[in-house]
Coordinates of all heavy atoms in Angstrom, one line a residue:
Chain A
G279 N -47.4 -168.2 77.0 CA -47.9 -166.8 77.2 C -48.1 -166.4 78.5 O -47.9 -167.3 79.5
P280 N -48.5 -165.2 79.0 CA -48.7 -164.2 78.0 C -47.4 -163.5 77.6 O -46.5 -163.3 78.5 CB -49.6 -163.1 78.9 CG -49.3 -163.5 80.3 CD -49.0 -164.9 80.3
G281 N -47.3 -163.1 76.4 CA -45.9 -162.6 75.9 C -46.0 -161.1 75.8 O -45.0 -160.5 75.4
S282 N -47.1 -160.4 76.0 CA -47.2 -159.0 75.8 C -48.3 -158.4 76.8 O -49.0 -159.1 77.3 CB -47.4 -158.6 74.5 OG -48.8 -159.0 74.1
A283 N -48.2 -157.1 77.0 CA -49.2 -156.4 77.6 C -50.5 -156.6 77.0 O -51.6 -156.7 77.8 CB -48.9 -154.8 77.7
I284 N -50.7 -156.8 75.7 CA -52.0 -156.9 75.1 C -52.7 -158.3 75.6 O -53.7 -158.3 76.0 CB -51.8 -157.0 73.5 CG1 -51.4 -155.6 73.1 CG2 -53.1 -157.4 72.9 CD1 -51.2 -155.5 71.6
M285 N -51.8 -159.4 75.6 CA -52.2 -160.6 76.1 C -52.7 -160.5 77.6 O -53.6 -161.2 77.9 CB -51.2 -161.7 75.8 CG -51.6 -163.1 76.0 SD -52.9 -163.5 74.7 CE -53.3 -165.1 75.3
N286 N -51.9 -159.8 78.3 CA -52.3 -159.6 79.7 C -53.8 -159.0 79.9 O -54.5 -159.4 80.7 CB -51.3 -158.7 80.5 CG -50.1 -159.5 80.9 OD1 -50.2 -160.7 81.2 ND2 -49.0 -158.9 80.9
E287 N -53.9 -158.0 78.9 CA -55.2 -157.3 79.0 C -56.3 -158.3 78.6 O -57.5 -158.2 79.1 CB -55.2 -156.1 78.0 CG -54.3 -155.0 78.4 CD -54.7 -154.1 79.6 OE1 -55.9 -154.2 79.9 OE2 -53.9 -153.6 80.2
I288 N -56.1 -159.1 77.5 CA -57.0 -160.0 77.1 C -57.5 -161.0 78.2 O -58.6 -161.2 78.5 CB -56.5 -160.8 75.9 CG1 -56.5 -159.8 74.6 CG2 -57.4 -162.0 75.6 CD1 -55.8 -160.4 73.4
E289 N -56.4 -161.4 79.0 CA -56.7 -162.4 80.0 C -57.5 -161.7 81.1 O -58.4 -162.2 81.8 CB -55.4 -163.1 80.5 CG -54.9 -164.0 79.4 CD -53.5 -164.7 79.8 OE1 -53.0 -164.3 80.8 OE2 -53.1 -165.4 78.9
K290 N -57.1 -160.4 81.4 CA -57.8 -159.8 82.5 C -59.4 -159.6 81.9 O -60.3 -159.7 82.9 CB -57.1 -158.4 82.6 CG -57.7 -157.6 83.8 CD -56.8 -156.4 84.1 CE -57.0 -155.2 83.1 NZ -56.1 -154.1 83.3
T291 N -59.4 -159.3 80.8 CA -60.8 -159.1 80.3 C -61.6 -160.4 80.4 O -62.8 -160.4 80.7 CB -60.8 -158.7 78.8 OG1 -60.1 -157.4 78.7 CG2 -62.3 -158.3 78.3
M292 N -61.0 -161.6 80.1 CA -61.6 -162.8 80.3 C -62.2 -163.0 81.7 O -63.4 -163.4 81.9 CB -60.6 -163.9 80.0 CG -60.1 -164.1 78.6 SD -61.3 -165.1 77.6 CE -61.2 -166.8 78.3
F293 N -61.2 -162.7 82.7 CA -61.8 -162.6 84.1 C -63.0 -161.8 84.4 O -63.9 -162.3 84.9 CB -60.7 -162.3 85.0 CG -59.6 -163.5 85.2 CD1 -58.3 -163.3 85.0 CD2 -60.0 -164.7 85.7 CE1 -57.4 -164.3 85.1 CE2 -59.1 -165.7 85.9 CZ -57.8 -165.5 85.6
V294 N -62.9 -160.6 83.8 CA -64.0 -159.6 84.1 C -65.2 -160.1 83.5 O -66.3 -160.0 84.1 CB -63.6 -158.2 83.5 CG1 -64.8 -157.3 83.7 CG2 -62.3 -157.7 84.5
L295 N -65.1 -160.6 82.3 CA -66.4 -161.0 81.6 C -67.0 -162.1 82.4 O -68.2 -162.4 82.6 CB -66.1 -161.5 80.1 CG -65.5 -160.3 79.2 CD1 -65.5 -160.9 77.8 CD2 -66.5 -159.2 79.2
T296 N -66.1 -163.1 82.7 CA -66.7 -164.3 83.4 C -67.3 -163.9 84.8 O -68.5 -164.4 85.2 CB -65.5 -165.2 83.7 OG1 -64.7 -165.4 82.5 CG2 -66.0 -166.6 84.1
F297 N -66.6 -163.0 85.6 CA -67.1 -162.7 86.8 C -68.4 -161.9 86.7 O -69.4 -162.1 87.4 CB -66.1 -161.9 87.7 CG -64.9 -162.5 88.0 CD1 -63.7 -161.8 88.5 CD2 -64.7 -163.9 87.8 CE1 -62.6 -162.4 88.9 CE2 -63.5 -164.5 88.1 CZ -62.5 -163.8 88.8
T298 N -68.6 -161.2 85.7 CA -69.7 -160.3 85.4 C -71.0 -161.3 85.1 O -72.0 -161.1 85.6 CB -69.5 -159.3 84.3 OG1 -68.4 -158.7 84.5 CG2 -70.8 -158.3 84.2
C299 N -70.7 -162.2 84.3 CA -71.7 -163.1 83.8 C -72.1 -164.3 84.8 O -73.1 -164.9 84.8 CB -71.5 -163.7 82.5 SG -71.2 -162.6 81.1
A300 N -71.1 -164.6 85.7 CA -71.2 -165.8 86.4 C -72.6 -165.8 87.3 O -73.2 -166.9 87.2 CB -70.0 -165.9 87.3
P301 N -72.9 -164.7 88.1 CA -74.1 -164.9 88.9 C -75.4 -165.2 88.1 O -76.1 -166.0 88.4 CB -74.1 -163.6 89.6 CG -72.8 -162.9 89.5 CD -72.3 -163.5 88.2
L302 N -75.5 -164.5 86.9 CA -76.7 -164.6 86.2 C -76.8 -166.0 85.6 O -77.7 -166.7 85.6 CB -76.7 -163.6 85.0 CG -77.9 -163.0 84.6 CD1 -78.7 -162.5 85.7 CD2 -77.7 -161.9 83.5
M303 N -75.6 -166.4 85.0 CA -75.5 -167.7 84.4 C -75.8 -168.8 85.5 O -76.5 -169.8 85.3 CB -74.1 -167.9 84.0 CG -73.8 -169.1 83.2 SD -72.1 -169.0 82.7 CE -71.7 -170.6 82.1
A304 N -75.3 -168.7 86.8 CA -75.4 -169.6 87.8 C -76.8 -169.6 88.2 O -77.4 -170.7 88.5 CB -74.5 -169.3 88.9
G305 N -77.5 -168.5 88.2 CA -78.9 -168.5 88.7 C -79.8 -169.2 87.6 O -80.7 -170.0 88.1
T306 N -79.5 -169.0 86.4 CA -80.2 -169.7 85.3 C -80.0 -171.2 85.5 O -81.1 -172.0 85.5 CB -79.7 -169.2 84.0 OG1 -79.8 -167.9 83.9 CG2 -80.6 -169.8 83.0
L307 N -78.8 -171.6 85.7 CA -78.5 -173.1 85.8 C -79.0 -173.7 87.2 O -79.5 -174.8 87.2 CB -77.0 -173.3 85.8 CG -76.3 -173.1 84.4 CD1 -74.8 -173.3 84.5 CD2 -77.0 -174.0 83.4
A308 N -79.1 -172.7 88.2 CA -79.8 -173.2 89.5 C -81.2 -173.6 89.2 O -81.7 -174.6 89.7 CB -79.6 -172.1 90.5
V309 N -82.0 -172.7 88.6 CA -83.5 -173.0 88.4 C -83.7 -174.2 87.6 O -84.5 -175.1 87.8 CB -84.0 -171.7 87.7 CG1 -85.5 -172.0 87.4 CG2 -84.1 -170.4 88.5
L310 N -82.7 -174.3 86.6 CA -82.8 -175.5 85.7 C -82.5 -176.8 86.4 O -83.3 -177.6 86.3 CB -81.6 -175.3 84.7 CG -81.8 -176.1 83.3 CD1 -82.8 -175.4 82.5 CD2 -80.3 -176.0 82.5
T311 N -81.4 -176.8 87.2 CA -81.3 -178.0 87.9 C -82.3 -178.3 89.0 O -82.6 -179.4 89.2 CB -79.8 -177.9 88.7 OG1 -79.5 -176.7 89.0 CG2 -78.8 -178.6 87.8
Y312 N -82.7 -177.3 89.7 CA -83.7 -177.4 90.8 C -85.0 -178.0 90.1 O -85.6 -179.0 90.6 CB -84.1 -176.1 91.4 CG -84.8 -176.3 92.7 CD1 -84.1 -176.8 93.7 CD2 -86.1 -175.9 92.8 CE1 -84.8 -177.0 95.0 CE2 -86.7 -176.0 94.0 CZ -86.1 -176.5 95.1 OH -86.7 -176.8 96.2
S313 N -85.4 -177.5 89.0 CA -86.7 -178.0 88.2 C -86.4 -179.4 87.8 O -87.2 -180.4 87.9 CB -87.1 -177.1 87.1 OG -88.0 -177.7 86.4
W314 N -85.2 -179.7 87.3 CA -84.9 -181.0 86.7 C -84.8 -182.1 87.8 O -85.3 -183.1 87.6 CB -83.5 -180.9 86.0 CG -83.1 -182.1 85.2 CD1 -83.8 -182.6 84.2 CD2 -82.0 -182.8 85.3 NE1 -83.2 -183.8 83.7 CE2 -82.0 -183.9 84.4 CE3 -80.9 -182.9 86.2 CZ2 -81.1 -184.8 84.3 CZ3 -79.8 -183.8 86.1 CH2 -80.0 -184.7 85.1
W315 N -84.3 -181.7 88.9 CA -84.2 -182.7 90.1 C -85.6 -182.9 90.7 O -85.6 -183.7 91.6 CB -83.1 -182.3 91.0 CG -81.8 -182.6 90.6 CD1 -80.7 -181.8 90.4 CD2 -81.2 -183.9 90.5 NE1 -79.6 -182.4 90.0 CE2 -79.9 -183.8 90.1 CE3 -81.7 -185.2 90.7 CZ2 -79.0 -184.9 89.9 CZ3 -80.9 -186.4 90.4 CH2 -79.5 -186.1 90.1
G316 N -86.5 -182.2 90.4 CA -87.8 -182.3 90.9 C -88.1 -181.6 92.2 O -88.7 -181.9 93.1
G317 N -87.3 -180.5 92.3 CA -87.4 -179.7 93.6 C -88.8 -179.1 93.8 O -89.2 -179.1 94.9
W318 N -89.5 -178.9 92.7 CA -91.0 -178.5 92.9 C -91.8 -179.6 92.5 O -93.0 -179.4 92.2 CB -91.2 -177.3 91.8 CG -90.6 -176.1 92.3 CD1 -90.8 -175.4 93.4 CD2 -89.7 -175.2 91.5 NE1 -90.1 -174.1 93.4 CE2 -89.4 -174.1 92.3 CE3 -89.0 -175.4 90.3 CZ2 -88.5 -173.0 91.9 CZ3 -88.1 -174.4 89.9 CH2 -87.9 -173.3 90.7
G319 N -91.3 -180.9 92.6 CA -92.1 -182.0 92.2 C -92.0 -182.3 90.8 O -91.5 -181.4 90.0
S320 N -92.4 -183.4 90.3 CA -92.3 -183.8 88.9 C -93.4 -184.9 88.7 O -93.9 -185.5 89.5 CB -91.0 -184.1 88.4 OG -90.6 -185.3 89.1
V321 N -93.6 -185.0 87.4 CA -94.5 -186.1 87.0 C -93.8 -187.1 86.1 O -93.1 -186.7 85.1 CB -95.7 -185.5 86.1 CG1 -96.7 -186.7 85.7 CG2 -96.4 -184.4 86.9
A322 N -93.7 -188.3 86.5 CA -92.9 -189.3 85.7 C -93.4 -189.5 84.3 O -94.6 -189.2 84.0 CB -93.0 -190.6 86.4
S323 N -92.6 -189.8 83.4 CA -92.8 -189.9 81.9 C -94.0 -190.9 81.8 O -94.8 -190.5 80.7 CB -91.8 -190.2 81.1 OG -91.4 -191.5 81.3
R324 N -94.2 -191.9 82.5 CA -95.3 -192.9 82.2 C -96.7 -192.4 82.6 O -97.7 -192.8 82.1 CB -95.0 -194.2 82.6 CG -94.9 -194.3 84.2 CD -94.5 -195.5 84.8 NE -94.2 -195.3 86.2 CZ -93.0 -194.9 86.6 NH1 -92.1 -194.5 85.9 NH2 -92.9 -194.7 88.0
D325 N -96.7 -191.3 83.5 CA -97.9 -190.8 84.0 C -98.4 -189.7 83.2 O -97.6 -189.2 82.3 CB -97.8 -190.4 85.5 CG -97.4 -191.5 86.4 OD1 -97.7 -192.6 86.0 OD2 -96.7 -191.2 87.4
E326 N -99.5 -189.1 83.5 CA -99.9 -187.9 82.9 C -100.2 -186.9 84.0 O -100.6 -187.3 85.1 CB -101.3 -188.0 82.1 CG -101.0 -188.7 80.7 CD -101.9 -188.1 79.7 OE1 -102.4 -187.0 79.8 OE2 -102.2 -188.9 78.8
P327 N -99.8 -185.6 83.7 CA -100.1 -184.6 84.8 C -101.7 -184.6 85.2 O -102.5 -184.6 84.2 CB -99.8 -183.2 84.2 CG -99.1 -183.6 82.9 CD -99.3 -185.1 82.6
T328 N -101.9 -184.6 86.4 CA -103.3 -184.7 86.8 C -103.8 -183.3 87.2 O -105.0 -182.9 87.1 CB -103.5 -185.6 87.9 OG1 -102.5 -185.4 88.9 CG2 -103.5 -187.1 87.5
S329 N -102.9 -182.4 87.7 CA -103.3 -181.1 88.2 C -102.5 -180.1 87.6 O -101.3 -180.4 87.1 CB -103.2 -181.1 89.7 OG -101.8 -181.3 90.0
D330 N -102.9 -178.9 87.4 CA -102.2 -177.7 86.8 C -101.3 -177.2 87.9 O -101.5 -177.2 89.1 CB -103.1 -176.7 86.3 CG -103.7 -177.1 85.0 OD1 -103.5 -178.2 84.6 OD2 -104.3 -176.2 84.3
G331 N -100.3 -176.4 87.4 CA -99.4 -175.7 88.4 C -100.0 -174.4 88.7 O -101.1 -174.0 88.2
P332 N -99.4 -173.5 89.4 CA -99.9 -172.1 89.8 C -100.0 -171.3 88.5 O -99.0 -171.4 87.7 CB -98.9 -171.6 90.8 CG -97.7 -172.5 90.6 CD -98.1 -173.8 90.1
A333 N -100.9 -170.5 88.5 CA -101.3 -169.7 87.2 C -100.5 -168.4 87.3 O -101.1 -167.4 87.4 CB -102.7 -169.5 87.0
I334 N -99.2 -168.5 87.3 CA -98.4 -167.3 87.3 C -98.2 -166.7 85.9 O -97.5 -167.2 85.0 CB -97.0 -167.6 87.8 CG1 -97.1 -168.3 89.2 CG2 -96.1 -166.2 87.9 CD1 -95.8 -168.8 89.7
Q335 N -99.0 -165.7 85.5 CA -99.0 -165.1 84.2 C -97.8 -164.3 84.0 O -97.1 -164.5 83.0 CB -100.2 -164.3 84.0 CG -101.6 -165.1 84.0 CD -101.8 -165.8 82.7 OE1 -101.0 -165.7 81.7 NE2 -102.8 -166.6 82.6
T336 N -97.4 -163.5 84.9 CA -96.2 -162.6 84.9 C -95.9 -162.1 86.2 O -96.8 -162.4 87.2 CB -96.4 -161.5 83.9 OG1 -95.0 -160.9 83.8 CG2 -97.5 -160.6 84.3
N337 N -94.9 -161.4 86.4 CA -94.7 -160.9 87.7 C -93.7 -159.6 87.5 O -92.7 -159.7 87.1 CB -93.8 -161.9 88.5 CG -93.5 -161.4 89.9 OD1 -93.2 -160.1 90.1 ND2 -93.7 -162.2 90.9
G338 N -94.4 -158.5 87.7 CA -93.8 -157.2 87.3 C -92.6 -157.0 88.0 O -91.5 -156.6 87.4
V339 N -92.4 -157.3 89.3 CA -91.1 -157.2 90.0 C -89.9 -158.0 89.4 O -88.9 -157.5 89.2 CB -91.3 -157.5 91.5 CG1 -90.1 -157.4 92.3 CG2 -92.5 -156.7 92.1
A340 N -90.3 -159.3 89.1 CA -89.3 -160.2 88.5 C -88.9 -159.7 87.2 O -87.6 -159.7 86.9 CB -89.8 -161.6 88.4
V341 N -89.8 -159.2 86.4 CA -89.5 -158.8 85.0 C -88.6 -157.5 85.1 O -87.6 -157.5 84.5 CB -90.7 -158.5 84.2 CG1 -90.4 -157.9 82.9 CG2 -91.5 -159.9 83.9
V342 N -89.0 -156.5 85.8 CA -88.3 -155.3 85.9 C -86.9 -155.6 86.4 O -85.9 -155.0 86.0 CB -89.0 -154.2 86.7 CG1 -88.2 -153.0 87.0 CG2 -90.3 -153.8 85.9
T343 N -86.9 -156.3 87.6 CA -85.6 -156.6 88.2 C -84.6 -157.3 87.1 O -83.5 -157.0 86.9 CB -85.7 -157.6 89.3 OG1 -86.8 -157.1 90.2 CG2 -84.4 -157.8 90.1
W344 N -85.1 -158.4 86.4 CA -84.3 -159.2 85.5 C -83.8 -158.2 84.3 O -82.7 -158.2 84.0 CB -85.1 -160.2 84.9 CG -84.4 -161.0 83.9 CD1 -84.4 -160.8 82.5 CD2 -83.6 -162.3 84.1 NE1 -83.6 -161.9 81.9 CE2 -83.2 -162.6 82.9 CE3 -83.4 -163.0 85.3 CZ2 -82.5 -163.8 82.7 CZ3 -82.6 -164.1 85.1 CH2 -82.2 -164.6 83.8
I345 N -84.7 -157.3 83.8 CA -84.4 -156.5 82.7 C -83.3 -155.5 83.2 O -82.3 -155.3 82.4 CB -85.6 -155.7 82.1 CG1 -86.5 -156.8 81.4 CG2 -85.1 -154.7 81.1 CD1 -87.7 -156.2 80.9
T346 N -83.5 -154.9 84.4 CA -82.5 -154.0 85.0 C -81.2 -154.6 85.1 O -80.2 -154.1 84.7 CB -83.1 -153.4 86.3 OG1 -84.5 -153.1 86.1 CG2 -82.2 -152.2 86.6
V347 N -81.2 -155.8 85.7 CA -79.9 -156.5 86.0 C -79.2 -156.8 84.7 O -78.0 -156.4 84.5 CB -80.0 -157.7 86.8 CG1 -78.8 -158.6 86.9 CG2 -80.6 -157.3 88.3
C348 N -80.0 -157.4 83.8 CA -79.3 -157.8 82.6 C -78.8 -156.5 81.8 O -77.7 -156.5 81.2 CB -80.2 -158.4 81.6 SG -80.6 -160.1 82.2
S349 N -79.5 -155.4 81.8 CA -79.2 -154.2 81.1 C -77.9 -153.6 81.8 O -76.9 -153.2 81.0 CB -80.2 -153.2 81.1 OG -81.3 -153.8 80.4
V350 N -77.9 -153.6 83.0 CA -76.8 -152.9 83.8 C -75.5 -153.7 83.5 O -74.5 -153.3 83.2 CB -77.0 -152.9 85.3 CG1 -75.8 -152.5 86.0 CG2 -78.1 -151.8 85.5
L351 N -75.6 -155.1 83.6 CA -74.5 -155.9 83.3 C -74.0 -155.7 81.9 O -72.8 -155.7 81.6 CB -74.8 -157.5 83.6 CG -75.1 -157.8 85.1 CD1 -75.3 -159.2 85.2 CD2 -73.9 -157.4 85.9
A352 N -75.0 -155.8 80.9 CA -74.5 -155.6 79.5 C -73.9 -154.3 79.3 O -72.8 -154.1 78.6 CB -75.7 -155.7 78.5
A353 N -74.4 -153.3 79.9 CA -73.8 -151.9 79.8 C -72.4 -152.0 80.5 O -71.5 -151.4 79.8 CB -74.7 -150.8 80.5
F354 N -72.3 -152.6 81.5 CA -70.9 -152.6 82.2 C -70.0 -153.4 81.1 O -68.7 -152.9 80.9 CB -70.9 -153.4 83.5 CG -69.6 -153.8 84.0 CD1 -68.8 -152.7 84.5 CD2 -69.1 -155.0 84.1 CE1 -67.5 -153.0 84.9 CE2 -67.9 -155.2 84.5 CZ -67.0 -154.2 85.0
L355 N -70.3 -154.5 80.6 CA -69.6 -155.2 79.6 C -69.1 -154.3 78.5 O -68.0 -154.4 78.1 CB -70.3 -156.5 79.2 CG -70.5 -157.7 80.1 CD1 -71.1 -158.8 79.4 CD2 -69.2 -158.1 80.7

Side-chain angles (χ1 to χ4, degrees):
Chain A
S282 72
I284 295 179
M285 194 63 186
N286 279 325
E287 295 291 335
I288 290 175
E289 291 177 356
K290 187 167 78 186
T291 305
M292 291 279 292
F293 282 119
V294 171
L295 299 185
T296 317
F297 294 172
T298 313
C299 299
L302 212 56
M303 189 179 163
T306 306
L307 292 179
V309 176
L310 199 71
T311 27
Y312 195 70
S313 168
W314 188 58
W315 280 113
W318 287 300
S320 66
V321 182
S323 71
R324 60 185 171 279
D325 302 332
E326 281 215 29
T328 47
S329 62
D330 280 12
I334 307 169
Q335 292 284 356
T336 185
N337 182 317
V339 177
V341 169
V342 171
T343 312
W344 179 271
I345 294 178
T346 313
V347 169
C348 287
S349 305
V350 168
L351 291 183
F354 171 72
L355 291 182

